[in-house]
Every structure is written in C-alpha cells, then in structure tokens.
Amino acid sequence: QVQLVESGGGLVQAGGSLRLSCAASGRTVSNIFMGWFRQAPGKEREFVAAISTSWSAGNTYYADSVKGRFTISRDNAKNTVYLQMNSLKPEDTALYFCAQRRYYRSSYSRTDDYDDWGPGTQVTVSS
C-alpha cells in the first residue's frame, strides 16, 4: 500500500513562493495519477492540481484559481511529486494534501477520485 508524506509548507509573505513535496513509498510515482488538494478552515477540500502517469504523457491539470501560478511536477528518481507555488496570495492559505488513486476514474478534481491521502502540510500566506 502506498504511503504519502507532504513537506515544504510554511509561512510566506504575499507574492512569495514555496515548493511542496509529496514523497511516496510503496508505489512508483511514474505509474500513479496524483493530485494536490487544499482545505482552508471552515471550507471543503478543493482541487489544486494533478498529474497523470508517465505512460499517459504526464499531463497536468490545474484549478482556475492557481493556473499560471502553480506547477505540478514529478521526479521519478526521487519518487516524489512537487507543487511549485509562485505569486502566493493570502487566499492560498490552507492545509495542502497530496493524494493518489489506485485505479482509473474519468474525472480528477473530486476528492472521491483519489484513494490514499497524506497527512497534509500547512501553507500560510500573510498579507
């Protein structure tokens, strides 16, 4: 069974950058469709970004709210997926989770599309 652990969160000023990491064990990330979600206090968990498997061309997908500012990528040698976050805004403040799915779904932006989750890493953006 795959285990996911996020890291890289922290406190940053608006306009700054952070890079989140999601280290996977138990499966090779190149073979996993993986996503990033976030959850702010009092709000539902929302989709941020996703990356398909290497044999599916490693296509990337983004929520409109982060498109052009965030980049999802994968380092197969380190079995890690990253979320580079630039031009951060206070509204990006949330607990960020990575997730993976064990089998194909036709959608990718719902929490039900994923089977396993990491514990999360906190991102706080000050104004």
Side-chain angles (χ1 to χ4, degrees), residues 47-121:
F47 171 74
V48 175
I51 186 167
S52 69
T53 60
S54 295
W55 43 265
S56 296
N59 294 324
T60 56
Y61 309 89
Y62 298 95
D64 288 343
S65 59
V66 306
K67 202 171 294 183
R69 300 188 297 123
F70 290 11
T71 303
I72 188 171
S73 63
R74 176 174 49 221
D75 185 332
N76 294 336
K78 295 183 178 181
N79 218 36
T80 299
V81 172
Y82 300 100
L83 185 68
Q84 177 67 43
M85 307 186 296
N86 299 327
S87 302
L88 283 161
K89 305 175 181 180
E91 51 263 43
D92 295 319
T93 295
L95 188 61
Y96 283 71
F97 301 88
C98 67
Q100 70 97 23
R101 62 190 195 188
R102 302 178 202 163
Y103 57 92
Y104 174 79
R105 273 91 150 179
S106 59
S107 60
Y108 56 82
S109 62
R110 306 175 308 164
T111 56
D112 288 348
D113 294 328
Y114 299 84
D115 302 293
D116 301 293
W117 297 78
T121 185

Side-chain angles (χ1 to χ4, degrees), residues 11-14 89-90 93 125-127:
L11 174 64
V12 64
Q13 288 189 330
K89 305 175 181 180
T93 295
V125 184
S126 63
S127 57

Side-chain angles (χ1 to χ4, degrees), residues 28-51:
T28 303
V29 296
S30 62
N31 296 332
I32 308 172
F33 191 108
M34 297 192 69
W36 283 97
F37 285 72
R38 66 187 182 186
Q39 187 167 18
K43 295 188 176 181
E44 293 187 351
R45 195 169 297 190
E46 64 174 4
F47 171 74
V48 175
I51 186 167

